[in-house]
Amino acid sequence: MRIVEARISIGVVASPRDSFDCQILEGLVKLPENRECADCQSKAPRWASVNLGIFICMQCSGIHRSLGVHISKVRSTTLDTWLPEQVAFMQCMGNKRSNKYWEAELPPDYDRSEIQKFIYTKYSEKRWAAKDAPQPGFGDINLCPVSKKPLEGGSKACIPKKMRNFSLEEEILTSHVAPALPPPTRHRGVSSNSS
Ligand SMILES: [Zn+2]
């Protein structure tokens, strides 16, 4: 019985193993507006700033971390655990909408080659942010009509449903250990105890 309770409490946090949130995130990074890093515009970003609502590349994620969590909270779309409201906020925001605010006054031909300076100026100094609009943030989530249906095309890339074959204890253990580790294989450490 204790095990069941533990599982329920863990279930509050969505991990990439949760196929529903997994599908949403995978679907979001495939949207045309999110296919390029919000800052350096490199292809296929797999990291995110959950409070800014943007998808960014690994290099830019390191720079975002250096800004401090009061400006940007970085998470991996594939490795980290996500709260359901964080996933919903990413759905609500995204790179296009976010940059509409943060790059409102950015010259179109601006040279982003000094990316660290660019990111600092963009988010810390807010140099190019829209003057006539409030900074978008988590509070806007109620204004967004967020669909609860998984977006198209995201079902394959996530942690497979093999996870279902783990024993309950194993699944809980994995949930605790998972964020820092790659997905466990089916065979490693699977107890042969049958229930
Ligand atoms: Zn980048």
Side-chain angles (χ1 to χ4, degrees):
M1 269 306 151
R2 281 223 316 271
I3 289 168
V4 172
E5 284 165 18
R7 192 184 186 196
I8 289 167
S9 70
I10 288 166
V12 173
V13 176
S15 87
R17 280 157 194 75
D18 183 306
S19 61
F20 176 70
D21 289 291
C22 191
Q23 281 182 37
I24 293 177
L25 281 173
E26 280 295 322
L28 287 175
V29 297
K30 285 175 184 166
L31 292 177
E33 64 185 79
N34 296 328
R35 277 184 199 153
E36 293 182 350
C37 172
D39 295 327
C40 75
Q41 300 175 331
S42 65
K43 304 285 181 200
R46 286 293 177 270
W47 292 76
S49 170
V50 296
N51 63 315
L52 295 171
I54 54 171
F55 293 95
I56 51 180
C57 70
M58 183 185 273
Q59 184 197 15
C60 291
S61 77
I63 301 168
H64 271 256
R65 277 205 187 85
S66 72
L67 299 176
V69 293
H70 60 294
I71 294 176
S72 185
K73 290 178 190 165
V74 174
R75 295 196 93 62
S76 165
T77 62
T78 55
L79 299 172
D80 285 327
T81 53
W82 285 67
L83 296 167
E85 53 266 40
Q86 289 172 330
V87 177
F89 181 62
M90 297 304 293
Q91 268 186 299
C92 170
M93 191 58 60
N95 291 2
K96 188 177 173 186
R97 198 162 166 216
S98 174
N99 277 339
K100 201 175 166 188
Y101 171 80
W102 290 102
E103 297 184 0
E105 298 189 11
L106 181 72
D109 54 349
Y110 191 87
D111 178 12
R112 302 179 184 222
S113 56
E114 285 187 75
I115 191 64
Q116 187 161 2
K117 186 177 159 200
F118 174 78
I119 289 174
Y120 179 82
T121 308
K122 181 176 172 180
Y123 298 106
S124 281
E125 293 185 1
K126 304 182 183 182
R127 183 175 301 175
W128 306 296
K131 302 283 186 289
D132 55 352
Q135 180 178 327
F138 224 72
D140 298 334
I141 203 165
N142 296 326
L143 305 175
C144 295
V146 173
S147 167
K148 277 293 170 191
K149 277 190 260 177
L151 300 178
E152 282 180 43
S155 60
K156 277 189 184 172
C158 291
I159 313 298
K161 287 176 183 171
K162 282 177 191 174
M163 289 293 294
R164 302 280 178 238
N165 293 334
F166 279 0
S167 71
L168 205 55
E169 295 92 324
E170 187 100 10
E171 206 171 324
I172 290 166
L173 185 66
T174 310
S175 298
H176 279 302
V177 176
L181 297 173
T185 63
R186 196 173 175 176
H187 301 293
R188 194 202 312 159
V190 174
S191 161
S192 59
N193 291 346
S194 53
S195 52

